[in-house]
Amino acid sequence: NGVTDVSNTATLTVSPKGSAAVDPVGQIAQMEETVNFTCSSLGGPGVTYQWSKDDSVLEEDSTLLVINNVSTSSGGNYTCNASNPAGYDTASGALYVHPFFTLQPADAL
């Protein structure tokens, strides 16, 4: 009958711009605790996640950041970069750490 079926597939990639979020935005931890931050975004497909603290990459391609055995140096801002070929967005969460003090008797000093 001379009819040819042609089928094409297109993929629309949506930028995560304006949609990245970190949960919780801020949290307080005690020394030696474990804390979690979760990053999410609405972009897709193919969104990758990269965590950093003070411009140092911590973990790539994970929506979950786990900080084990919290110490005073763990405190600070943690940034999630959500990206795909269409764009990127960043969001941050802050960790505040209560220092641990050990009191000694005056005669031990």
Side-chain angles (χ1 to χ4, degrees):
N1 74 28
V3 176
T4 303
D5 287 335
V6 176
S7 177
N8 290 320
T9 302
T11 301
L12 175 64
T13 302
V14 179
S15 171
K17 185 76 175 165
S19 70
V22 170
D23 184 45
V25 173
Q27 59 183 311
I28 299 170
Q30 301 293 326
M31 299 285 287
E32 301 177 0
E33 285 185 335
T34 296
V35 297
N36 299 322
F37 285 104
T38 303
C39 186
S40 61
S41 73
L42 300 177
V47 176
T48 59
Y49 298 89
Q50 184 176 58
W51 289 95
S52 63
K53 179 180 183 262
D54 302 328
D55 297 324
S56 295
V57 174
L58 300 175
E59 192 167 329
E60 294 187 49
D61 204 19
S62 178
T63 58
L64 178 65
L65 176 66
V66 178
I67 304 166
N68 293 307
N69 199 24
V70 167
S71 67
T72 54
S73 65
S74 303
N77 290 315
Y78 290 82
T79 301
C80 171
N81 182 4
S83 64
N84 68 10
Y88 71 94
D89 197 18
T90 60
S92 296
L95 175 61
Y96 305 95
V97 180
H98 278 288
F100 182 76
F101 296 102
T102 302
L103 297 178
Q104 297 181 351
D107 62 346
L109 297 176

